[in-house]
Amino acid sequence: MDIGKVKDLRDRHKLLFSAALVIPLLLLTWLFIPITFETNDDAYLMSCLSGAKTGKPEADTIFSLFLWGKLVSSLYALNVGIPWYTLIFMALITLSMITVCYCVVLSFPRWGGSFFFLLYFCMFLYYSAIFQYTVVSAYCGGAAVSLLLIDKKGEDKKHIIVKNILIFTFAFFAVNIRSRVGYLLLGSAAFAICLEIFAYLVFKDSDRQKIKRMVFSFLIILATVISSMAVNDIRESVEGWVDFREYNSERVNFTDYAKLDYESNEDLFEKIGWSEEFYELVKRWFFMDEAVNAETLRQINERSVHGSIRVGRSLLHEWFPKIDFQVKMWVLMMLFLLLDAVIHRGRSLRRSMISFLWMFVWFAETQYFGHTGRIAERAFEAWTLLAVIPSVLGTAGTCQTVEERKKSVAERVVIPVLLIAFGIVCVRHPNGGFLKAKEFSQARSESKIMAADVENYAIAHPKNIYITGLSIPREGGPWRVYDKGLPYNFIFWGGSFYNSPLYYAQLERNGLDHIYMEDFFDENIYFMAREEPDENLYHVMLEKFPGCKYEIVDKNDGFIVYQFLQ
């Protein structure tokens, strides 16, 4: 390989160089780590969009906004045999990573490629293989913020227009895939502009035209978020989602926080008609009873006290070791950039110091998450990425306009080698992205097979309804397609989907208005479990219907099918 030609490609065609760096990294990642979903949420979203829930592709989902759903469901309507959801995520991850890499290479002309190599292995690798819609949304948001921060001297109108179109596109996917990430994107972009204004007012280390262009790009992001939310709100008001949102708010407060002790609050549970066995069942996401509704959940939530969670070193180390590792690498990167600024004694020294404010903002936000009493790892991860990317690019300041000069041996050889070496350390570290992603992907392979098996079983018996709890995987993996039938008769007994318009559309597709416990004796309603029927459910059935029993009607590899009898 001619190293000189590689350097010339990097210097003259930074976008092409970025694509040439990112695409092989992603291909190697997907080769060694089979793509999988991190949680059931993505599998659920894909099943709605593809039509597996209701028998036809649905644009409305619980977590994502309507415009995203309309785009993906339309593709499934064209051809349900193609895994559009996963392919679009692959495309968005690729384009986001190329954009971030381009901005890094542009900001750090001397060793930007090596620096992105480090960023990829310590920040991006895990969720480039373990798909999670919240973090894919954060990748798009990170790309939008990266473009907002990049301001090349002498940019013509054509380049500015193209850049803002890309910012709009990435912001669109960020907010529509996960609306809360859209809010984090707005906060990151606003704080980046505040730091730029601070640099201009205090250190004169910016210019007014750059700030004006950044503000204009921010207004594009703001307009994208507002319009996407407005379209979604109008759609939900028409389609009957308002009542569900009220119920779901109470459901989230019940399921996602610490639960009440039954004995200490027996008076409350007797009042709402919940026995201890029933309470234990509801804690395991069983909602198929008339006694589980917004009002009963509200009464429980009113008595619950959600204590704050102290976000400190021990919590990161014990709960979120991957994020803990990322934060350590973030600190090292920022210190490296500060040291580089000190060595060259340039104006970027002050910028490097200003960019450390991102760490204080990140810490303040994590404390806020902890104060609410709930810290979701996916939201934590998204916020971390949306702080790391602008903090790193913010240290560059006017680096991309620095005049060419003779590079020292350290700049040409030592620094790139060190950065690549740190990237290799990230690959081998137990809390690094590669090993954790590989371990997780291997662990999920069995559940993906079982999920496909139970769905295929339901497809093969379309006249029956099959209800499952937590013991059975509920949806297939990222490559699951339904070109031989749809498992619309396969129903989870609770979760975020329950009580939504989609839930009732699924029941209607099966010829029902509702399913409550008294309906469990219908001849076409069956339950699925791994090896034995759910004893907790059976005990609750005995409480409500003394003398009832269950019968195992079928045994398969990995799961059984049973039915309740009076």
Side-chain angles (χ1 to χ4, degrees):
M1 179 183 292
D2 189 339
I3 300 299
K5 289 184 178 180
V6 174
K7 291 180 178 178
D8 182 67
L9 170 65
R10 179 198 64 192
D11 295 337
R12 295 180 179 273
H13 305 285
K14 292 181 174 62
L15 181 58
L16 183 59
F17 172 78
S18 300
L21 176 61
V22 168
I23 293 175
L25 282 175
L26 288 173
L27 290 177
L28 286 172
T29 300
W30 296 331
L31 175 65
F32 288 103
I33 307 173
I35 293 171
T36 190
F37 289 143
E38 186 182 41
T39 70
N40 284 325
D41 289 346
D42 283 284
Y44 155 76
L45 288 168
M46 187 173 72
S47 66
C48 290
L49 296 167
S50 64
K53 288 291 186 187
T54 64
K56 65 182 182 67
E58 298 284 353
D60 297 293
T61 63
I62 291 170
F63 302 112
S64 299
L65 300 188
F66 169 73
L67 292 176
W68 158 257
K70 185 63 176 177
L71 169 65
V72 184
S73 63
S74 297
L75 292 172
Y76 275 109
L78 289 175
N79 192 333
V80 75
I82 297 176
W84 294 109
Y85 188 89
T86 302
L87 293 176
I88 292 173
F89 271 15
M90 292 175 71
L92 290 175
I93 290 171
T94 302
L95 293 174
S96 298
M97 290 298 95
I98 290 174
T99 300
V100 172
C101 182
Y102 169 77
C103 293
V104 170
V105 171
L106 190 65
S107 299
F108 305 100
R110 290 169 285 155
W111 29 259
S114 303
F115 199 60
F116 177 80
F117 183 87
L118 174 61
L119 274 172
Y120 179 79
F121 282 103
C122 72
M123 298 288 171
F124 303 126
L125 186 148
Y126 183 88
Y127 284 111
S128 294
I130 310 302
F131 285 6
Q132 214 282 70
Y133 72 110
T134 301
V135 184
V136 172
S137 175
Y139 279 12
C140 294
V145 174
S146 298
L147 290 169
L148 178 140
L149 284 164
I150 296 303
D151 190 78
K152 293 172 63 178
K153 289 263 186 189
E155 270 189 320
D156 56 27
K157 283 188 176 182
K158 177 182 176 181
H159 285 90
I160 294 174
I161 291 172
V162 169
K163 182 174 77 172
N164 283 311
I165 290 174
L166 289 173
I167 288 174
F168 163 78
T169 303
F170 284 121
F172 172 86
F173 285 109
V175 67
N176 279 278
I177 294 175
R178 183 62 163 163
S179 60
R180 293 182 181 180
V181 174
Y183 301 142
L184 292 175
L185 168 59
L186 282 175
S188 295
F191 188 67
I193 293 173
C194 289
L195 291 185
E196 198 68 32
I197 294 173
F198 180 79
Y200 171 75
L201 295 176
V202 178
F203 299 126
K204 304 300 180 184
D205 199 15
S206 183
D207 63 81
R208 296 177 66 179
Q209 290 303 315
K210 177 180 179 179
I211 294 173
K212 287 181 179 179
R213 287 190 288 267
M214 290 179 70
V215 170
F216 181 76
S217 297
F218 173 80
L219 292 176
I220 290 176
I221 296 174
L222 179 62
T224 305
V225 172
I226 292 175
S227 58
S228 297
M229 294 294 293
V231 170
N232 188 75
D233 288 347
I234 293 172
R235 171 73 179 188
E236 288 200 344
S237 65
V238 173
E239 296 296 320
W241 285 81
V242 176
D243 292 339
F244 166 74
R245 292 299 179 189
E246 180 183 357
Y247 157 80
N248 195 53
S249 175
E250 299 298 336
R251 195 273 308 165
V252 168
N253 286 332
F254 175 81
T255 58
D256 291 5
Y257 293 88
K259 307 296 188 297
L260 287 178
D261 175 68
Y262 186 89
E263 292 184 359
S264 303
N265 298 275
E266 192 169 355
D267 62 319
L268 170 63
F269 291 109
E270 287 182 353
K271 177 183 175 182
I272 63 176
W274 288 22
S275 69
E276 186 170 6
E277 284 277 6
F278 186 74
Y279 179 50
E280 291 300 318
L281 191 59
V282 175
K283 284 165 64 175
R284 294 170 47 234
W285 293 73
F286 179 91
F287 302 146
M288 303 185 82
D289 188 86
E290 291 176 282
V292 183
N293 51 57
E295 181 57 33
T296 55
L297 294 176
R298 183 182 298 112
Q299 292 182 54
I300 297 172
N301 293 331
E302 287 175 351
R303 187 171 292 194
S304 298
V305 178
H306 303 318
S308 62
I309 300 172
R310 183 179 179 183
V311 183
R313 177 70 185 84
S314 60
L315 181 141
L316 283 174
H317 183 71
E318 295 171 9
W319 286 20
F320 310 117
K322 179 165 56 68
I323 299 176
D324 181 49
F325 175 75
Q326 289 180 339
V327 172
K328 289 178 180 176
M329 295 305 300
W330 182 21
V331 173
L332 287 175
M333 283 187 286
M334 296 298 288
L335 290 174
F336 166 79
L337 292 171
L338 181 62
L339 178 61
D340 179 69
V342 170
I343 292 173
H344 292 96
R345 298 177 183 176
R347 294 164 68 189
S348 59
L349 170 60
R350 292 176 296 199
R351 279 195 168 272
S352 297
M353 296 174 67
I354 292 174
S355 289
F356 271 86
L357 291 173
W358 275 104
M359 291 187 174
F360 291 100
V361 171
W362 174 87
F363 181 74
E365 185 71 13
T366 56
Q367 294 299 321
Y368 169 76
F369 287 153
H371 182 70
T372 64
R374 176 175 179 260
I375 301 180
E377 184 173 13
R378 48 194 139 174
F380 203 179
E381 184 81 5
W383 169 233
T384 301
L385 290 172
L386 284 170
V388 169
I389 293 173
S391 71
V392 168
L393 292 175
T395 61
T398 56
C399 278
Q400 59 264 40
T401 63
V402 172
E403 295 181 2
E404 290 291 328
R405 57 180 174 78
K406 188 176 180 179
K407 300 174 183 177
S408 66
V409 174
E411 292 170 338
R412 287 186 287 109
V413 180
V414 177
I415 291 178
V417 169
L418 283 175
L419 292 174
I420 293 173
F422 272 115
I424 295 173
V425 170
C426 294
V427 172
R428 301 305 307 166
H429 195 281
N431 290 331
F434 178 79
L435 290 181
K436 277 199 169 295
K438 189 173 183 180
E439 178 185 6
F440 184 88
S441 180
Q442 291 172 344
R444 288 299 293 265
S445 59
E446 181 181 347
S447 65
K448 286 186 290 187
I449 294 172
M450 182 180 293
D453 288 343
V454 297
E455 284 188 331
N456 288 334
Y457 187 92
I459 291 171
H461 303 82
K463 294 183 179 180
N464 297 331
I465 295 171
Y466 297 93
I467 301 172
T468 182
L470 295 174
S471 66
I472 295 288
R474 296 184 292 283
E475 288 94 8
W479 303 110
R480 179 70 166 141
V481 293
Y482 302 98
D483 52 351
K484 296 181 180 179
L486 296 167
Y488 53 81
N489 56 333
F490 183 59
I491 299 174
F492 179 51
W493 69 24
S496 51
F497 174 72
Y498 184 78
N499 251 359
S500 69
L502 289 177
Y503 173 74
Y504 290 110
Q506 184 180 23
L507 294 186
E508 184 180 0
R509 180 66 178 81
N510 288 279
L512 298 172
D513 295 325
H514 61 77
I515 297 181
Y516 295 129
M517 297 185 74
E518 61 265 24
D519 302 309
F520 292 173
F521 300 108
D522 291 356
E523 62 179 11
N524 69 325
I525 292 183
Y526 297 84
F527 285 78
M528 287 181 170
R530 278 189 180 265
E531 297 178 353
E532 297 290 337
D534 190 283
E535 287 298 318
N536 191 192
L537 174 61
Y538 179 52
H539 292 157
V540 172
M541 289 291 288
L542 282 174
E543 288 180 348
K544 288 181 174 286
F545 310 101
C548 75
K549 58 183 180 179
Y550 62 78
E551 177 185 16
I552 297 176
V553 298
D554 200 359
K555 289 187 176 182
N556 295 269
D557 185 18
F559 67 96
I560 64 168
V561 180
Y562 64 100
Q563 189 175 36
F564 286 103
L565 304 172
Q566 284 184 315

